[in-house]
Amino acid sequence: MSSTLTRPAPPGGVVREAVAPRRRTRIFSLPEARWAAAALVLFLVALPLHLAGAPVWAWGPLFALTYATGGWEPGWAGLQALREKTLDVDLLMVVAALGAAAIGQVLDGALLIVIFATSGALEAIATARTADSVRGLLDLAPTTATRLADDGSEETVPTQQLGVGDIILVRPGERIGADGRVLDGASDVDQATITGEPLPVAKQEGDEVFAGTLNGTGALRVQVERDPSDSVIARIVTMVEDASETKAPTQLFIEKVEQRYSIGMVAATIALFALPLLFGAALQPTLLRAMTFMIVASPCAVVLATMPPLLSAIANAGRHGVLVKSAVVMEQLGQIDAVALDKTGTLTEGTPRVTDIRPLASSGLSEDELLRLAAAAEHPSEHPLARAIVDAARARNLGIPLVEDFASTPGTGVSAKVEGRTVAVGSPARLLDNLISHPTATAAATLEQEGRTAVLVTLHGTPVGVLGIADRLREEAAATVTALGELTASAPVLVTGDNPRAAARLAGEVGITDVRAGLLPQDKVSAVQEMEQAGRKVLVVGDGVNDAPALAAAHTGIAMGRAGSDLALETADAVVVRDELATVPTVVRLSRQARRLVVQNLVIAAVFITGLVIWDLAGTLPLPLGVAGHEGSTVIVGLNGLRLLADGAWRRARIGTGQ
């Protein structure tokens, strides 16, 4: 082994890069956001002037600018759609707004313009942020690597230049530059970004490692087995991009009949204007009737029938720690009929904790004394298991003495002198050597069979006890699994990159029977696609980079926000900001309440529109009465939708009651 392999770790222990650097697109760098903001500001300035009865010259130009700034983009997009022989609802909204202005309803038209411009800006921002996070994921993989030549010399090269068969040196604290296999050395590698495992995995000769994972305190020589463009992390990026592009955009209910309604309304307006003229009708009353028809038949009430319940549900969920990214997502949540749950960081807290303290009877040590010695020896270490042991000792208010002669051996453990006694803490397989029949070996095997990580403690080389360490289950996990099962009428599925024993143990605790463990990101996507091919609408709940492709591929994805990776947070359709898992079934119920209100509102809007249109066609509908009826229906459906803003709606959703 060359001397470079024994180079010490950077000062202060392992350098941990929790997430990729954030490369955010600025909101106002997007033209949609700039135009929408301008339209909103102009509208807010003009509105009080209009309501206060100011002269037209004071508010008229402001409303005109509102129409121009907020309406030109959807109008232009609608005209382009016309070239492809489709009639876009955005163009219909612009036409309706101009029609409203033509007969004096300037305020109504301006409000419609602002609503649609803001909606388009939010969609553009969401798309840009997702693209940012996908690009930022590539930063997890280092840009350079240390390549070893046949004569042992080192060369720093861009990772893109690495080829299959190259040998690279990975020093302590560095990220691994390519997928490959360990030729020499031993270390613990944090590969949570790829597999989701909560604890670093011991790697030695012959073990596989992944690009972008974080090396621990040892040094490794790795032989490259995949081209960098085909690494697991590169494939994650590709899968997220592909899923985002190929996933059919779910439309709100009213948008599913957009074309027919739009074409029918435009055709009816033109006919109502042109046909009477052909039969000698006067121009002015004919134009007034057509414009009245345009107003009463415009889908303003229908649009508001859909949006207020969903937006109110979004606002209510946001107040209670769930960020739902759009009205489309809020609608989708109520449609799910299957759930796939990640393990680490989702059902569990994602932080290792000491669960068992088992001193050997012959050692004469109490639980506290065993834990105190182990914590003292581990205190200088940066390993996650060491931090779990030290935290457990502090939780019991145990004094942690200073140590001497601390030493750390990658893949084995640590040793130190504690109050004059030599204490070693580490892997039972390494510290026990051939003592397979030793009582501590049996205790360690039992813990590992239960899905825990076993840590052996020795005193002067003699085993004195075993500690069990595991990721702690969230308190609300079992209740959440039960609630989701009741909502979807099917048991949730556990999809995890963790080992099968740990996954099976946790699944048993929360009541999950369908366990799929040891999955790489592409395997999670395959599991989701398999469920969707069976006709299910799948909700995926996860938190890591390794969950992002599944979150993108699913019907709906929810990310845990507190420890979630940037990519998962951007890819997911909703984020549980406070990591309260119990809010997941609550927001699904809230979505279903919103969907029921949408149906109610559509019925109300349809009744008003149909009645006013028939009146206008069969008789003479006075313009003020038509506007009043149109605005009245808009107010009614708007207020009905706002019912979900009340905290009572969230409480009813939480306990599973109806409206």
Side-chain angles (χ1 to χ4, degrees), residues 9 12 51 102 111 151 176 228 313 316 384 400 425 445 492 494 498 520 542 548:
L51 296 179
L111 178 59
D151 60 3
I176 296 172
N316 202 336
I400 302 176
V425 185
L494 181 63
D498 211 347
L520 289 174

Side-chain angles (χ1 to χ4, degrees), residues 611-636:
L612 292 171
V613 166
I614 291 175
W615 189 347
D616 187 52
L617 295 178
T620 302
L621 175 63
L623 178 59
L625 189 57
V627 172
H630 176 265
E631 296 303 320
S633 66
T634 302
V635 170
I636 290 173

Side-chain angles (χ1 to χ4, degrees), residues 191-434:
Q191 51 187 38
T193 54
I194 302 298
T195 66
E197 293 171 284
L199 302 176
V201 179
K203 298 291 185 180
Q204 57 186 347
E205 183 179 345
D207 289 336
E208 185 178 20
V209 292
F210 303 108
T213 55
L214 185 63
N215 188 25
T217 55
L220 301 172
R221 282 199 298 164
V222 175
Q223 185 172 42
V224 178
E225 291 190 338
R226 292 192 190 94
D227 187 271
S229 62
D230 193 40
S231 67
V232 171
I233 202 163
R235 280 183 279 164
I236 291 177
V237 174
T238 301
M239 283 188 290
V240 172
E241 290 177 334
D242 290 347
S244 299
E245 291 174 1
T246 59
K247 183 178 177 182
T250 302
Q251 300 295 317
L252 296 176
F253 176 80
I254 188 57
E255 292 175 351
K256 295 178 181 179
V257 295
E258 169 187 331
Q259 288 299 303
R260 293 180 181 177
Y261 185 89
S262 301
I263 294 172
M265 177 182 165
V266 171
T269 301
I270 294 174
L272 195 60
F273 176 66
L275 290 179
L277 292 179
L278 292 177
F279 289 95
L283 176 61
Q284 185 172 353
T286 302
L287 177 61
L288 183 61
R289 179 187 290 270
M291 286 297 96
T292 302
F293 176 83
M294 170 76 79
I295 293 298
V296 299
S298 70
C300 298
V302 177
V303 170
L304 288 176
T306 304
M307 296 304 290
L310 298 174
L311 295 178
S312 297
I314 289 173
N316 202 336
R319 289 203 310 270
H320 293 88
V322 182
L323 172 62
V324 180
K325 295 185 178 180
S326 72
V328 171
V329 173
M330 181 55 77
E331 185 195 37
Q332 286 177 320
L333 281 168
Q335 299 172 345
I336 60 112
D337 57 11
V339 180
L341 296 164
D342 175 46
K343 171 183 170 289
T344 305
T346 302
L347 290 174
T348 70
E349 295 178 352
T351 304
R353 298 178 184 272
V354 174
T355 58
D356 300 84
I357 305 172
R358 300 185 181 181
L360 197 62
S362 60
S363 69
L365 298 176
S366 65
E367 288 188 3
D368 283 354
E369 183 61 17
L370 177 66
L371 180 60
R372 191 177 77 92
L373 290 174
E378 291 279 21
H379 189 264
S381 174
E382 290 291 326
H383 196 284
L385 293 182
R387 292 197 294 273
I389 294 171
V390 172
D391 289 345
R394 287 173 174 163
R396 293 191 175 207
N397 296 317
L398 302 179
I400 302 176
L402 297 176
V403 301
E404 299 176 345
D405 300 332
F406 172 80
S408 175
T409 305
T412 299
V414 302
S415 63
K417 282 190 177 180
V418 182
E419 299 173 335
R421 295 178 288 181
T422 301
V423 178
V425 185
S427 166
R430 303 292 179 87
L431 294 180
L432 282 173
D433 292 329
N434 295 321

Side-chain angles (χ1 to χ4, degrees), residues 135-181:
R135 289 194 301 269
L137 177 59
L138 293 173
D139 292 332
L140 284 172
T143 57
T144 61
T146 302
R147 183 167 60 189
L148 299 178
D150 293 338
D151 60 3
S153 62
E154 301 177 11
E155 179 186 11
T156 300
V157 298
T159 51
Q160 293 88 343
Q161 294 183 11
L162 294 175
V164 176
D166 284 348
I167 297 174
I168 59 174
L169 171 65
V170 185
R171 293 189 173 89
E174 292 183 345
R175 287 195 179 272
I176 296 172
D179 289 2
R181 199 164 297 276

